[in-house]
């Protein structure tokens, strides 16, 4: 398991990260102090960057192995493809406007 991207939800008290490599390829979260580790999404193929839209209750990540940007609810439910057919996407940034 190799951690890659990390994103913080300071208000919600959670950190989210991607793991890739043997035994990994998933998204996890934990409390900001490292307790209560949960696997939210599994079955991915080289997820790297991750970003949160806390107001909308969504997380977004780049999966280089699957060649796409995906999203799900912050609890890992309702996975969706957002952009497909990319060439090795690694990073992602969200700009939230009010």
């Amino acid at each position: 398991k190799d951690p890659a991207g990390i994103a913080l939800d300071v208000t919600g008290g959670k950190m989210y990260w991607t793991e890739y490599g043997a035994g990994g390829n998933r998204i996890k979260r934990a409390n900001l102090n490292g307790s209560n580790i949960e696997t939210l999404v599994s079955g991915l193929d080289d997820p790297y960057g991750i970003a949160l839209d806390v107001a909308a209750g969504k997380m977004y990540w780049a999966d280089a192995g699957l060649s796409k940007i995906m999203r799900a609810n912050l609890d890992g439910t309702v996975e969706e493809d957002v952009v497909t057919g990319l060439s090795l996407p690694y990073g992602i940034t969200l700009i939230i406007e009010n």
Side-chain angles (χ1 to χ4, degrees):
K1 301 175 275 191
D2 296 317
I6 186 168
L8 300 178
D9 174 4
V10 176
T11 303
K14 299 287 185 185
M15 63 177 138
Y16 294 72
W17 68 93
T18 59
E19 290 182 349
Y20 68 97
N25 297 317
R26 58 189 163 213
I27 296 174
K28 290 186 160 188
R29 79 174 169 191
N31 294 331
L32 291 175
N33 67 3
S35 66
N36 195 31
I37 297 172
E38 306 172 79
T39 298
L40 301 176
V41 180
S42 58
L44 301 174
D45 185 9
D46 291 335
Y48 284 87
I50 186 167
L52 305 178
D53 181 351
V54 175
K58 299 285 185 185
M59 61 178 157
Y60 293 76
W61 65 92
D63 192 314
L66 296 176
S67 302
K68 58 187 171 182
I69 304 294
M70 300 176 71
R71 75 175 169 198
N73 294 329
L74 290 175
D75 64 1
T77 59
V78 192
E79 291 176 49
E80 303 175 273
D81 294 347
V82 178
V83 181
T84 61
L86 301 173
S87 179
L88 299 173
Y90 286 100
I92 186 166
T93 300
L94 294 178
I95 298 172
I96 311 294
E97 294 185 24
N98 294 328

